[in-house]
Each structure stands twice: as structure tokens, then as C-alpha cells.
Amino acid sequence: MIGSGPTDGLAARLPPPNLPGLDPAWSRLVTAPDHTGTPRTWHLLDHQAGDPNEAPRATLVCVHGNPSWSYLWRRLIAAVPPGVRVIAVDQLDMGFSERTGVTRRLADRIADLVALTDHLGLTGGDQDGPVISVAHDWGGPISLGWAEHVVATEPGRLHGVVLTNTAVHQPAGSPAPALIRTARAPGVLRRVTVDSTLFLRGAIEMSRPRLEPEVRAAFLAPYRTRARREAIADFVADIPLDPSHPSHDALEAVAAGLHSLAAVPSLLLWGPSDLVFSDLYLHDFEARLPRAEVHRFIGASHFVGEEADVAGAIVNWLDTALAVAALPDATFGDAAVPAEAVSAVAEPRDPPPEPLWASLDQARSDPVLGARPAVVEQVDGITRSIDFAELDDRVMATAAGLSAHGVQPGDRVALMIPPGIELTVALYACWRMGAIIVLVDSGLGATNMSRALASARPDHLIGISRAMVASRALRWPGRRILAGSLPLTSLRSGLHRALGISTTLDELGRLGADHAPPQVPEVNDIAAIVFTSGSTGPSKGVVYRHHQVRAQCDILTQLYAITDDDRLVAAFAPFALYGPALGITSIVPDMDVVKPASLDARALAAAVDAIDATLVFASPAALANVVDTGPQLAASQRIGLGKIRLLLSAGAPVNPDLLAQAVTLMPQAEAHTPYGMTEVLPVADISLGELRALDSVDGRVPGVCVGHPAPGVTVGIAAIDDRGIAATSPETVHGVVGEILVSAPHTKDGYDRLAATERASSTPRGWHRSGDVGCLDAAGRLWVGGRLQHVITTADGPLLPVPVELAAEAIRGVRRACAVGVGPVGAQVLAVVIESSGGRKARMCEPAITEQIRVAVDAATDHVPALVLEVAALPVDRRHNSKIDRTAMAAWAGAIAAGGRITSP
């Protein structure tokens, strides 16, 4: 027996009192036969033991891993609703269960768990109560083996499977986790697991942020002596690292048996920063449980339940699991799932909409359209263009080449190409052959780009040489395809090999010329995963289907009366990609697309002249620099700008004065600012004329007015309470202040590998919770007052930040302002941080300006700032250069309010 020893009288016992978060009433000792029939005593957490009420609606059977114990599930026990029972076991020889002195292999532990649940009446009896398995770490294979047994012996009893950071298989070509291999090295195992607490403490220390001392002590509590740590070594030794291991066949059987769980709702909750069970194992489970819901908690590590709201994710998933599994012979493929049970895929219109490449198809039979420029690009003063007929030819050939190269419909293809001809060809070719494009803004920076790509896990990556180098250096996933060419022609083949480049976009085009066009994807297929800017939290992958992207194009056409005669300058680069779908010419000005503020008036005028543009779309930061550099324009450069009929600016709140100044450069333009987000754009729209004619709501300005909802868009408001918590259902009554909810045909399909976020953002069904706060006025116009997470919860009620900021920005010398709450929720005081036109270092604002701000804010909101600070520059997002990081400013101002020294934020 590996690592076994005498029992030393180590009987099961109850945990010590006062462990944080653990109610002593949950603990019980149960004696049941083990897999050999020998009576053994288990310690369980069971918060409904002996409850005289009716049988529970469901019982969650939670299994910990190594080196942990049932304490791991305390938050889940506290979170489950009435009628749901949680039984969290301490595995034999672990936690506070009996130390048997017997080495237990994987198959033994599965059989032990079956014997225990049979003894408890959860399985193997006449009861019909549903059970759900929940597991972490090496409790995963044990729990899954138990679940497969339940499915095989009692069909319909198992209603769900939840897995957190675990594994059942070592994917081919990848080594076992380094920490496990190190612990298994000769002479190391017992030293780190039994003779010391090194392995145990090392596991606990993987958590980020570090666990509180009291929680660390609680995890250590069952393992204070050598004799109580024997099974930690046994567990590590029982991990099969090769086919000769005694537990190899049992683990393989569990992995092979996962197909029996295909009809059972499953939830995968993962900490992707885990040094043991990385995303590699998550993706293995996704392949084995293809209908599982998945949520990756960005930044979380091994003990994901300690670092993220795993309990909340499970509780919010329970109704779906129970509703789906309760259906007769339930499968996800053909069961009539109740509307309230699962998030539905938005259905396309009847008749089906035109495909996104309809204009390219039309160019084959319409010589006028075929000869029209589709995409024009300007780089370093050089202009290139491609007409619709040429674009169609290249797209068709490239799509066929992608298929011939092994790209399959449904494969994910990350595109890392600057806006222009190459990007347009690659994007529409992917769409044309059914691949899913992944768009990650380079403005996120290397770290956040890596996180986004790890989340999306593209099968292929098409990018310029710089992207190829980065993908190699940062180990981005995906087979690499080069767009453009590499420098140093004589070394090109060597660089190709060094960078792992499989082919080039040009070669695919030539390859595709000899192959038949690929099959056309369905309108309900996924078209794109587009990552958010990350300005209001970690960047999220937003999933769109073909018909939803088409609906977005249609609503833009309707809202702005776009016709074949229009030509678009897209200074906000993503909009350039819509040009071919809209059937109009588009161009991105000569600018650094990662830095919107790099656009100057001359570059904009050159782009306008290149295509005789009628439409301009620019972010506020880009527009501000255009206005600042406008005096540099020659008279001849102003002529083209004078022909612009429509100016659009979005991405952040737009100051009406900025729009007015921009219109002086484009005197024929009607200026509009659409409101929306990556998840649904546009939501609403307002013109400069409407902005100038605005009245306040009830005598006060509740934020920035973004206009009436766009055609086909419904806006609701979920009222917020005094603690800034939004109601579950929206209202359409004017004057109600709360979270903005949106329902529209062009709303996202969901979030990628963020099931918990998607569930929260899509409740109630059919709505998208934007996270913005505001209200509707009596005229039906929408006002936005900031983000829900930034609502200031004062003792007098919730206060939105934007009205405060607008009042402060009206003071002479204040360039920008940021309003934040300081102190405990429900009793926060208002702090205002300004960015002055003088650009001075961080300090308390001078008394005269402070007094003016206090008076102005009081008049606008009935709240007086307790603290007014000044900084040289407020931190803003990378993509738009406009969204202030209020979270960072709140932490900075809070530290100063608590007596900290004033330093640069």
C-alpha cells in the first residue's frame, strides 16, 4: 500500500468551531460501508440534515479534491435557495473523515461515494429526488465516475454536473502539470505531503489575491499532524502519469464514459490562471461535453471558488439545469425546452435576410456596382483600392483556399490585420465559408490581448508580420497564416519556419482558384466573436450570428438613410468593415487605429477627397484632434469636408460643443451621436440640433441625452435602490432612474465562455442589461448617467456620476471631471477629481475652483462634494481615449480621504 500506515486511532470528528463562513450546525458524522463493506465514518456538511419539510427539490453532492476538504463548499451551502440541499463530503482519509490507513485508488473512491449516497438514500433507493454532482480538482474524476454510475443505474436521477478546475485526461502532446510531476519526483512526495505541509500550503498560496489568514488556517485545520496527512500523499501518488499506473484504466473509463452525460445539463466553471488545471483541461472537457455551459473567471486560479463567485454561478444555473433535465428523455438537441429554462438563440427574420456578402454577389451581375471602389486604404501617404468585382473574386478564392487549407465551418479565426483591403478580404472570406471571426482590438495591450485570445482559443490566426511575431512570443493559440509579407526577403522561408507560419493569405487565394466555392453558411450560424474594449471590466467576447450582424447593418441603413450613393470615412476602424455589407465604398484615414486621437484634420480631409466621401464616423477623441488641427487645413482641403452630409461620433459621451466645432469644418453635415455598446449598437441616436434644443428632466439634467431608441429597439429601465442594486424587471415609465435594458433584433447572441455573465446580462429573458444607468424622459428620449457599478450610494439615496461631472465641467478651467463615491456602500460621500486645462500635478484643488464646483454640483444634484482633487490627466480607456476609469479614481480618492498622501494616480 503506497503511503499507508496505521490508523493511529484517527477517528472521524467534527471541525473546530469558529471557522470563518462555516456554520457548525452543518457538520454531521455518518457511518456507512465503504466499497469493501467495512463500516467507515464520514464527516459531511449537510445543511438540511433531519429537515422535517418535504423532500428537497434537488440535492447537490459536492466532492473536494486534494489537499482540500468540504470547507471548500461553504459559500455554496450559504447561497443555495430554500428547497435545495447540499451534501459536501470529506473523502475518507481526508478532511475530518476517518483515517482508515488504507490506500484508496480512484475506482475505490468512486465506489466509496456510491456506497455513501446509497446509504443516505440519495441513490440506489426508491426516492425520486434529483441529484447534481459538483466537484473540484481530483474530486472531479471521482464525482464523474459516481455520476456515470447514477446515470447507468437510475436513469433520470442525475440532473446536472458542475466541474471546477479538474481533469479526466491528459491531452496528447502535453505534459502532466509541472507541480504534480515535481511532487512525484523520487524522494520528494512524502517530504512535501506528509513530513511537511509544503504541498498543502503551496496549493493554498496559489490563490490570487492571497486568502485571508483565518481562511488559510481553516483549510489547514484537518491536516495538523503527519498521520492526518497520509492520504495527501496517496492522492498525489494515485494520479496516473502513464498506462502502467494502477488507476490508469479507471480514469480512462471515466473519460470514455462522459458520453453518457451528454443529455445532462453541465456547467464548467474555471480559473484560467491555475498552474495545475489550466485551460488545456477545460478545452478537453468542452470537447467531451460539447453542450456544457462554460464560464472562465478571468484572473482566478486553482481555488476558483475562493476567488470568484462560483456559488452564485451555480445557484443561477440551477433552475435551467432542473428545468431541462426534467423534460421527458431530455436532450439539448431536440427537446422542447421551456422558454424560461434556457437562453434562446435569436431567430432570424422570415424570409431570411440577405447574406453579409450580398453586395459582392450582386457585383457579378451589376457592372456599375462591380466597378465601384469597395475598400480604399491610405497608409503613409500611399493610396490603394479594390472594386466590388475584384473584392468578390478575392473573397471567393480566399474562402475556397481556406477550406482547402483545412479551415472548417465553425472554426474560429482570429484576424489581426489593420483595417484595409487585406482585412476585408480575410473577414468576408471567413464569413463566406462559415468560419467564425475573432476580433481582438490591439488597443487592449499585449496582456489583455493574450487573455482574450486564451478565452476565444482560435483555431487559426491570420495576421500581419508583427502579429506573427507576437503570436509566437506570447504563445497565442491558432495555426498561423500571414497577411502581407515578411521583411528580409532572402530570409523569408526561414522566418516562416521560425514563426510557425503555415501559409499566407495570398497563397490561399491562389490555392482557392483551383477549388470549388465553399458551401454557404446558414443565417443562424455564428459569424463573429468581438471583444469589448475592457474599459468597464475585463474584455468580454461578444457572440453574433449572421442574421444579427445583418440586422445591425439594416438598422444603420434605415436610421441614417444610407444609399448606394454614400461613401464612408471610418475613423473608428471597426465600422470600415461594414462598408461591403452596406454596399458602399469605405476608407480608413491614414492614422494609428490603436490611438484614435492620432487622427488630424489633414488626414481626414485626404480620406474624404480619396473617395469623395459623404459620411464620416469618428470617436470623440479623434474628432477632438481634428477640431484642434482644423486651422492647419488649406482652403482646397476644406472643399471635400464641405460635402459631408452626415457626421457620426460615438464610443463615449460626446460634448455638443465638440460636435458644433466639428460642423464648422463640415458645414453641410448633420451631426449625430449614436449610443450603444459592443453588445448592441445602435441603441439610440440624437442629432446636434436635438442636443441644442434639449430641456432638462424635472428641472435637472440626469446625464447625457442620447436620443430616441433606434427603429426596432425597445429600452426599459430597471430601477435602482439606495444601495445601487437594480431591479430584476424593466419599466418604460419616464423618470424612473435605473439600469438601462435593451431589446432589439441586433442584440448579441451571448458572451463566449462567460455563461454566468451571459445569464446575468440576459435576465429577464429577451433583454440585455447594459450596465449603464439612466432614465427615459416624457418625450421618450434616453438619458445616460454613468455605469451601474459607479453609482454613488449616499445616505440620501443613489447619485449618478455624469450629472455631477457635467456640472463640474461647466466651470472655467475644468477640462474633464470624474465623480466617485468614497466610503461604505449606502453612506458614501461625493468626491470630484478634475483634470484642469493647466495640466498641474495631483493635489487638492485650489479653494476658488473648489467652491465653484461645490456650488455648481449642489445646484445640479442637491449634493455637495466633500472632496475636490486635481490631477494632470484622468485615466481613460485605450480604445476610445474617452472613458474615464472611475474605479481607479474612486480607490485613489478613497485612500486620500482616509488620510493617505496625495500622489499621482
Side-chain angles (χ1 to χ4, degrees):
M1 295 186 291
I2 300 175
S4 65
T7 61
D8 296 328
L10 295 174
R13 65 191 191 195
L14 298 177
N18 302 321
L19 296 182
L22 187 67
D23 185 340
W26 296 343
S27 283
R28 60 186 291 214
L29 299 179
V30 173
T31 299
D34 67 5
H35 69 283
T36 68
T38 305
R40 301 295 188 186
T41 305
W42 301 64
H43 168 251
L44 314 177
L45 299 181
D46 181 2
H47 74 312
Q48 289 189 13
D51 192 328
N53 295 327
E54 295 181 4
R57 181 173 169 230
T59 299
L60 278 59
V61 178
C62 302
V63 185
H64 67 83
N66 182 39
S68 185
W69 62 288
S70 55
Y71 182 74
L72 184 75
W73 307 111
R74 68 196 183 283
R75 292 176 177 172
L76 179 58
I77 296 174
V80 292
V84 175
R85 182 182 184 186
V86 177
I87 292 180
V89 304
D90 278 1
Q91 298 196 53
L92 291 175
D93 301 287
M94 299 291 288
F96 288 97
S97 286
E98 178 183 340
R99 297 311 192 258
T100 69
V102 177
T103 298
R104 296 178 183 275
R105 301 291 184 190
L106 172 60
D108 301 332
R109 291 194 175 277
I110 293 171
D112 287 342
L113 186 58
V114 169
L116 174 65
T117 58
D118 285 354
H119 176 82
L120 294 173
L122 300 176
T123 56
D126 296 330
Q127 292 104 331
D128 57 358
V131 293
I132 294 173
S133 69
V134 184
H136 174 255
D137 190 82
W138 284 103
I142 297 164
S143 177
L144 288 170
W146 172 82
E148 291 166 8
H149 170 84
V150 174
V151 166
T153 58
E154 300 179 80
R157 178 65 63 89
L158 185 74
H159 280 209
V161 172
V162 180
L163 298 172
T164 65
N165 287 65
T166 182
V168 291
H169 175 71
Q170 188 62 43
S174 61
L179 291 179
I180 301 300
R181 287 184 283 114
T182 301
R184 288 274 291 272
V188 174
L189 179 59
R190 291 187 61 80
R191 289 185 180 180
V192 298
T193 57
V194 179
D195 298 341
S196 72
T197 59
L198 185 61
F199 185 83
L200 175 59
R201 292 178 183 275
I204 295 171
E205 291 298 332
M206 285 194 289
S207 292
R208 292 292 180 271
R210 195 180 187 209
L211 300 183
E212 294 295 324
E214 297 82 3
V215 174
R216 297 200 303 273
F219 275 109
L220 288 165
Y223 304 111
R224 292 296 183 183
T225 66
R226 290 182 75 261
R228 296 191 65 83
R229 294 193 292 268
E230 288 285 347
I232 296 178
D234 289 353
F235 248 119
V236 177
D238 195 43
I239 299 170
L241 298 184
D242 60 69
S244 65
H245 191 281
S247 288
H248 176 269
D249 290 347
L251 185 61
E252 288 292 301
V254 171
L258 286 181
H259 69 87
S260 67
L261 306 180
V264 178
S266 51
L267 179 65
L268 307 177
L269 302 174
W270 225 258
S273 297
D274 190 351
L275 297 177
V276 180
F277 299 113
S278 64
D279 276 345
L280 179 73
Y281 303 95
L282 169 63
H283 300 320
D284 181 64
F285 277 116
E286 287 180 298
R288 296 172 186 274
L289 299 169
R291 300 188 189 278
E293 292 189 39
V294 179
H295 188 96
R296 298 170 73 256
F297 292 96
I298 302 300
S301 182
H302 183 67
F303 283 105
V304 60
E306 300 296 317
E307 304 170 50
D309 188 16
V310 165
I314 295 173
V315 168
N316 291 334
W317 168 82
L318 280 177
D319 284 342
T320 293
L322 294 173
V324 173
L327 295 170
D329 299 321
T331 68
F332 289 95
D334 54 16
V337 179
E340 67 275 11
V342 294
S343 298
V345 172
E347 292 297 328
R349 299 189 303 275
D350 186 22
E354 289 185 331
L356 295 167
W357 55 88
S359 293
L360 304 185
D361 288 346
Q362 183 184 347
R364 291 176 218 150
S365 57
D366 184 344
V368 175
L369 175 61
R372 182 188 305 159
V375 181
V376 181
E377 62 179 35
Q378 291 184 325
V379 179
D380 297 331
I382 299 173
T383 301
R384 297 172 58 224
S385 69
I386 185 172
D387 62 36
F388 273 92
E390 293 169 327
L391 180 59
D392 177 57
D393 288 342
R394 284 195 61 184
V395 165
M396 290 294 285
T398 305
L402 287 167
S403 295
H405 188 60
V407 180
Q408 301 293 319
D411 277 3
R412 298 181 174 201
V413 182
L415 302 180
M416 294 191 163
I417 312 169
I421 295 171
E422 297 299 315
L423 176 58
T424 305
V425 168
L427 182 141
Y428 282 87
C430 287
W431 277 346
R432 183 62 180 75
M433 58 80 57
I436 301 167
I437 64 164
V438 177
L439 295 179
V440 179
D441 195 325
S442 58
L444 289 174
T447 298
N448 290 325
M449 287 177 69
S450 294
R451 282 183 171 179
L453 289 167
S455 174
R457 200 196 176 207
D459 303 285
H460 313 272
L461 189 153
I462 305 177
I464 59 175
S465 58
R466 191 164 58 235
M468 296 292 101
V469 173
S471 68
R472 186 71 170 188
L474 299 175
R475 299 183 179 181
W476 290 341
R479 189 165 58 152
R480 302 180 184 101
I481 299 170
L482 175 67
S485 59
L486 287 169
L488 303 174
T489 304
S490 61
L491 299 178
R492 188 170 298 160
S493 61
L495 284 174
H496 273 226
R497 289 192 298 271
L499 296 175
I501 295 171
S502 61
T503 188
T504 70
L505 203 58
D506 288 342
E507 289 169 353
L508 290 179
R510 291 189 289 271
L511 175 65
D514 298 325
H515 288 77
Q519 183 177 348
V520 176
E522 298 291 332
V523 296
N524 213 32
D525 289 346
I526 296 175
I529 300 171
V530 184
F531 277 83
T532 61
S533 66
S535 56
T536 56
S539 186
K540 299 181 287 291
V542 179
V543 178
Y544 276 98
R545 296 181 183 270
H546 278 263
H547 69 86
Q548 292 160 335
V549 180
R550 181 76 260 177
Q552 188 176 54
C553 294
D554 291 348
I555 202 169
L556 290 170
T557 298
Q558 180 180 354
L559 184 60
Y560 299 116
I562 297 173
T563 71
D564 293 346
D565 295 327
D566 280 311
R567 294 161 299 280
L568 170 67
V569 175
F572 182 48
F575 265 78
L577 300 174
Y578 287 110
L582 296 171
I584 64 175
T585 303
S586 61
I587 185 174
V588 176
D590 197 349
M591 61 182 291
D592 184 347
V593 294
V594 177
K595 300 176 181 177
S598 65
L599 178 67
D600 61 33
R602 286 180 293 189
L604 177 62
V608 167
D609 288 343
I611 62 171
D612 195 17
T614 60
L615 314 174
V616 169
F617 194 117
S619 72
L623 207 57
N625 197 48
V626 167
V627 168
D628 288 345
T629 56
Q632 301 172 8
L633 290 171
S636 59
Q637 294 173 308
R638 295 175 180 270
I639 295 173
L641 292 173
K643 298 177 182 178
I644 298 298
R645 73 165 185 87
L646 178 66
L647 169 64
L648 300 174
S649 187
V654 187
N655 190 312
D657 291 340
L658 174 61
L659 284 180
Q661 291 173 306
V663 168
T664 63
L665 298 176
M666 302 170 234
Q668 299 302 312
E670 183 177 4
H672 283 249
T673 174
Y675 161 74
M677 55 220 66
T678 307
E679 295 86 345
V680 49
L681 178 70
V683 170
D685 174 83
I686 192 167
S687 69
L688 176 59
E690 290 172 304
L691 283 169
R692 285 171 164 164
L694 279 177
D695 295 319
S696 59
V697 176
D698 298 328
R700 296 286 173 83
V701 176
V704 173
C705 184
V706 296
H708 290 91
V713 175
T714 302
V715 171
I717 305 295
I720 53 175
D721 62 18
D722 289 346
R723 297 180 64 83
I725 299 173
T728 55
S729 299
E731 304 177 53
T732 55
V733 180
H734 78 271
V736 173
V737 176
E739 184 178 10
I740 298 168
L741 275 64
V742 183
S743 178
H746 57 289
T747 306
K748 67 171 170 58
D749 189 67
Y751 289 117
D752 184 50
R753 293 190 172 105
L754 291 171
T757 303
E758 169 56 24
R759 195 176 301 280
S761 75
S762 299
T763 303
R765 181 182 166 82
W767 294 88
H768 168 64
R769 304 188 79 101
S770 70
D772 287 343
V773 286
C775 67
L776 292 163
D777 65 18
R781 296 171 302 199
L782 178 62
W783 297 71
V784 180
R787 295 287 294 171
L788 182 62
Q789 69 200 74
H790 300 144
V791 170
I792 302 157
T793 57
T794 74
D796 297 323
L799 173 64
L800 306 189
V802 170
V804 176
E805 293 162 358
L806 291 174
E809 288 168 356
I811 303 302
R812 183 181 179 85
V814 177
R815 183 173 180 180
R816 276 191 289 202
C818 173
V820 297
V822 173
V825 173
Q828 290 183 325
V829 296
L830 172 62
V832 175
V833 185
I834 69 165
E835 176 184 313
S836 68
S837 54
R840 292 180 285 267
K841 66 179 183 179
R843 61 175 189 167
M844 298 292 291
C845 191
E846 61 183 70
I849 298 295
T850 296
E851 184 59 25
Q852 291 180 60
I853 289 173
R854 285 178 168 159
V855 170
V857 171
D858 185 20
T861 68
D862 284 338
H863 289 78
V864 178
L867 186 66
V868 181
L869 299 164
E870 181 178 350
V871 294
L874 287 165
V876 295
D877 67 295
R878 295 174 64 108
R879 177 183 284 182
H880 304 293
N881 301 160
S882 302
K883 296 179 181 179
I884 297 170
D885 189 343
R886 294 193 186 100
T887 301
M889 287 293 92
W892 180 71
I896 293 171
R901 191 165 57 92
I902 299 178
T903 58
S904 295

